[in-house]
Coordinates of all heavy atoms in Angstrom, one line a residue:
Y1156 N 102.8 150.2 15.5 CA 101.7 149.2 15.2 C 101.4 148.3 16.4 O 100.3 148.0 16.7 CB 102.0 148.4 13.9 CG 102.1 149.3 12.7 CD1 103.0 148.9 11.6 CD2 101.4 150.4 12.5 CE1 103.1 149.7 10.5 CE2 101.5 151.1 11.3 CZ 102.4 150.8 10.3 OH 102.6 151.5 9.2
T1248 N 93.7 143.7 7.0 CA 93.4 144.8 6.2 C 92.3 144.6 5.1 O 91.3 145.4 5.1 CB 94.7 145.4 5.6 OG1 95.5 145.6 6.7 CG2 94.5 146.6 4.8
I1271 N 95.0 148.2 -6.9 CA 96.4 148.4 -7.3 C 97.3 147.9 -6.2 O 97.3 148.4 -5.2 CB 96.6 150.0 -7.6 CG1 95.5 150.5 -8.5 CG2 98.0 150.2 -8.4 CD1 95.5 152.0 -8.6
G1272 N 98.2 147.0 -6.6 CA 99.1 146.3 -5.6 C 98.7 144.9 -5.6 O 97.6 144.5 -5.6
R1273 N 99.7 144.0 -5.5 CA 99.5 142.6 -5.5 C 100.3 141.9 -4.4 O 100.7 140.8 -4.6 CB 99.9 142.0 -6.9 CG 101.3 142.3 -7.3 CD 101.8 141.5 -8.4 NE 103.0 142.1 -8.9 CZ 103.6 141.8 -10.1 NH1 103.1 140.8 -10.8 NH2 104.7 142.4 -10.5
S1274 N 100.5 142.6 -3.3 CA 101.2 142.0 -2.2 C 100.3 140.9 -1.6 O 99.1 140.9 -1.7 CB 101.5 143.0 -1.1 OG 100.3 143.5 -0.5
N1275 N 101.1 140.0 -0.8 CA 100.3 138.9 -0.1 C 99.5 139.5 1.1 O 98.6 138.7 1.5 CB 101.4 137.8 0.3 CG 102.0 137.1 -0.8 OD1 101.4 137.1 -1.9 ND2 103.2 136.5 -0.5
I1276 N 99.9 140.6 1.6 CA 99.1 141.0 2.7 C 98.0 141.9 2.5 O 97.1 142.1 3.2 CB 100.1 141.7 3.8 CG1 100.6 143.0 3.4 CG2 101.2 140.7 4.3 CD1 101.3 143.7 4.5
V1277 N 98.0 142.6 1.3 CA 96.8 143.5 0.9 C 96.3 143.2 -0.4 O 95.1 142.7 -0.5 CB 97.1 145.0 1.0 CG1 95.9 145.8 0.9 CG2 97.9 145.4 2.3
G1278 N 97.1 143.4 -1.5 CA 96.6 143.4 -2.9 C 95.9 142.1 -3.2 O 94.6 142.0 -3.7
C1295 N 96.1 145.3 -10.6 CA 97.2 146.1 -11.2 C 98.4 146.1 -10.4 O 98.3 146.0 -9.2 CB 96.8 147.6 -11.5 SG 95.3 147.7 -12.5
H1296 N 99.6 146.2 -11.0 CA 100.8 146.2 -10.3 C 101.9 147.1 -11.0 O 101.6 147.8 -12.0 CB 101.3 144.8 -10.0 CG 101.2 144.0 -11.3 ND1 102.2 144.1 -12.3 CD2 100.3 143.1 -11.7 CE1 101.8 143.3 -13.2 NE2 100.7 142.7 -12.9
S1297 N 103.1 147.0 -10.6 CA 104.2 147.9 -11.1 C 104.4 147.6 -12.7 O 105.0 148.5 -13.3 CB 105.4 147.8 -10.3 OG 105.8 146.4 -10.3
K1298 N 104.0 146.5 -13.1 CA 104.3 146.2 -14.5 C 103.1 146.4 -15.4 O 103.1 146.1 -16.6 CB 104.8 144.7 -14.7 CG 106.1 144.4 -13.9 CD 107.2 144.9 -14.6 CE 108.5 144.4 -13.9 NZ 108.9 145.1 -12.7
T1299 N 102.0 146.9 -14.8 CA 100.8 147.1 -15.6 C 100.9 148.2 -16.6 O 101.5 149.3 -16.2 CB 99.6 147.4 -14.6 OG1 99.5 146.3 -13.7 CG2 98.3 147.7 -15.2
L1302 N 97.9 152.2 -16.8 CA 97.2 152.1 -15.5 C 96.0 153.0 -15.5 O 94.9 152.6 -15.1 CB 98.2 152.4 -14.4 CG 97.6 152.2 -13.0 CD1 97.3 150.8 -12.7 CD2 98.7 152.7 -11.9
A1314 N 93.6 151.4 -3.6 CA 95.1 151.7 -3.8 C 95.9 151.1 -2.6 O 95.7 151.6 -1.4 CB 95.2 153.2 -3.9
A1315 N 96.8 150.2 -2.9 CA 97.6 149.5 -2.0 C 99.1 149.5 -2.5 O 99.6 148.5 -2.9 CB 97.2 148.2 -1.5
I1316 N 99.6 150.7 -2.7 CA 100.9 150.8 -3.3 C 102.0 151.2 -2.5 O 103.2 150.7 -2.7 CB 100.7 151.9 -4.5 CG1 99.4 151.7 -5.3 CG2 101.9 152.0 -5.5 CD1 98.9 152.9 -6.0
G1317 N 101.8 152.1 -1.7 CA 103.0 152.7 -0.8 C 103.6 153.8 -1.5 O 104.8 154.0 -1.3
K1318 N 102.9 154.6 -2.3 CA 103.5 155.8 -2.9 C 102.6 157.0 -2.7 O 101.4 157.0 -3.1 CB 103.7 155.6 -4.4 CG 104.7 154.5 -4.7 CD 105.2 154.5 -6.1 CE 106.4 153.6 -6.2 NZ 106.6 153.0 -7.6
F1321 N 99.8 158.9 -5.2 CA 100.0 158.3 -6.5 C 98.7 158.5 -7.4 O 98.8 158.7 -8.6 CB 100.4 156.9 -6.3 CG 100.7 156.0 -7.6 CD1 102.0 156.1 -8.1 CD2 99.8 155.4 -8.3 CE1 102.3 155.4 -9.2 CE2 100.0 154.7 -9.4 CZ 101.4 154.7 -9.9
D1335 N 91.8 154.0 0.2 CA 93.3 154.3 0.3 C 93.9 153.5 1.3 O 93.7 153.7 2.5 CB 93.4 155.8 0.5 CG 94.8 156.3 0.3 OD1 95.7 155.4 0.2 OD2 95.0 157.5 0.4
V1336 N 94.7 152.5 1.0 CA 95.3 151.7 2.0 C 96.7 152.2 2.4 O 97.2 151.9 3.5 CB 95.5 150.2 1.5 CG1 96.0 149.2 2.5 CG2 94.2 149.7 0.8
G1337 N 97.2 153.0 1.5 CA 98.6 153.5 1.7 C 98.9 154.2 3.1 O 98.0 154.9 3.5
I1338 N 100.0 153.9 3.7 CA 100.5 154.6 4.9 C 101.9 155.1 4.5 O 102.8 154.3 4.4 CB 100.5 153.7 6.1 CG1 99.2 153.2 6.4 CG2 101.1 154.5 7.3 CD1 99.2 152.3 7.6
N1339 N 102.0 156.3 4.2 CA 103.4 156.9 3.8 C 103.7 158.0 4.7 O 102.9 158.9 5.0 CB 103.2 157.4 2.4 CG 102.7 156.4 1.4 OD1 103.4 155.5 1.1 ND2 101.5 156.7 0.8
C1347 N 100.5 160.1 5.1 CA 99.4 160.4 4.0 C 99.3 159.2 3.2 O 100.1 158.2 3.3 CB 99.9 161.6 3.1 SG 101.2 161.1 1.9
D1349 N 98.0 156.9 -0.5 CA 98.4 156.7 -1.8 C 97.5 157.6 -2.7 O 97.7 157.6 -4.0 CB 98.2 155.2 -2.3 CG 99.2 154.3 -1.6 OD1 100.2 154.9 -1.0 OD2 99.1 153.1 -1.7
G1368 N 91.0 155.8 8.1 CA 90.1 155.1 7.2 C 90.4 153.5 7.4 O 89.8 152.9 8.3
V1369 N 91.3 153.0 6.6 CA 91.6 151.6 6.6 C 92.4 151.2 7.9 O 92.1 150.1 8.4 CB 92.3 151.1 5.4 CG1 92.7 149.7 5.4 CG2 91.4 151.4 4.1
G1370 N 93.3 152.0 8.3 CA 94.1 151.7 9.4 C 93.4 151.2 10.7 O 93.6 150.0 11.1
P1371 N 92.4 152.0 11.2 CA 91.7 151.5 12.4 C 90.9 150.2 12.1 O 90.7 149.4 13.0 CB 90.7 152.6 12.7 CG 91.2 153.8 11.9 CD 92.1 153.4 10.8
M1372 N 90.4 150.1 10.9 CA 89.6 148.9 10.6 C 90.5 147.6 10.6 O 90.1 146.6 11.0 CB 89.1 149.0 9.1 CG 87.9 150.0 9.0 SD 86.6 149.7 10.1 CE 85.8 148.2 9.4
T1373 N 91.8 147.8 10.3 CA 92.8 146.7 10.3 C 92.8 146.1 11.7 O 92.8 145.0 12.0 CB 94.2 147.2 9.8 OG1 93.9 147.5 8.4 CG2 95.2 146.1 9.9
I1374 N 93.0 147.1 12.6 CA 93.2 146.6 14.1 C 91.9 146.1 14.6 O 91.9 145.1 15.4 CB 93.7 147.9 15.0 CG1 95.1 148.3 14.4 CG2 93.7 147.5 16.5 CD1 95.9 149.2 15.4
Ligands
LIG128 P1 104.1 146.2 -1.2 O1 105.3 147.1 -1.3 O2 104.3 144.8 -0.7 O3 103.3 146.3 -2.5 C1 103.0 147.4 -3.3 C2 102.4 147.0 -4.5 O4 102.3 148.1 -5.3 C3 103.3 146.0 -5.3 O5 102.4 144.9 -5.7 C4 103.6 146.8 -6.6 O6 103.5 146.0 -7.8 C5 102.6 147.9 -6.7 N1 103.1 149.0 -7.3 C6 104.3 149.7 -7.0 N2 104.5 150.7 -7.9 C7 103.5 150.7 -8.7 C8 103.1 151.5 -9.9 N3 103.9 152.5 -10.2 N4 102.0 151.2 -10.5 C9 101.2 150.2 -10.1 N5 101.5 149.4 -9.0 C10 102.6 149.7 -8.4 O7 103.2 147.0 -0.1 P2 102.0 146.5 0.7 O8 102.5 145.8 2.0 O9 100.9 145.8 0.0 O10 101.4 147.8 1.3 C11 100.9 148.9 0.4 C12 100.7 150.1 1.2 O11 99.6 149.9 2.2 C13 101.9 150.6 2.0 O12 101.9 152.0 2.1 C14 101.6 150.1 3.4 O13 102.2 150.8 4.4 C15 100.1 150.1 3.6 N6 99.4 149.2 4.4 C16 98.5 149.7 5.2 C17 97.8 148.9 6.0 C18 96.6 149.5 6.9 O14 96.3 148.9 7.9 N7 96.1 150.6 6.5 C19 98.1 147.6 6.1 C20 99.1 147.1 5.3 C21 99.8 147.9 4.4

Side-chain angles (χ1 to χ4, degrees):
Y1156 296 147
T1248 302
I1271 315 172
R1273 57 171 162 186
S1274 70
N1275 289 340
I1276 66 164
V1277 189
C1295 302
H1296 47 79
S1297 54
K1298 303 281 187 282
T1299 298
L1302 185 66
I1316 312 158
K1318 294 197 168 151
F1321 183 88
D1335 189 352
V1336 186
I1338 301 178
N1339 305 294
C1347 78
D1349 290 346
V1369 175
M1372 290 302 293
T1373 298
I1374 296 196

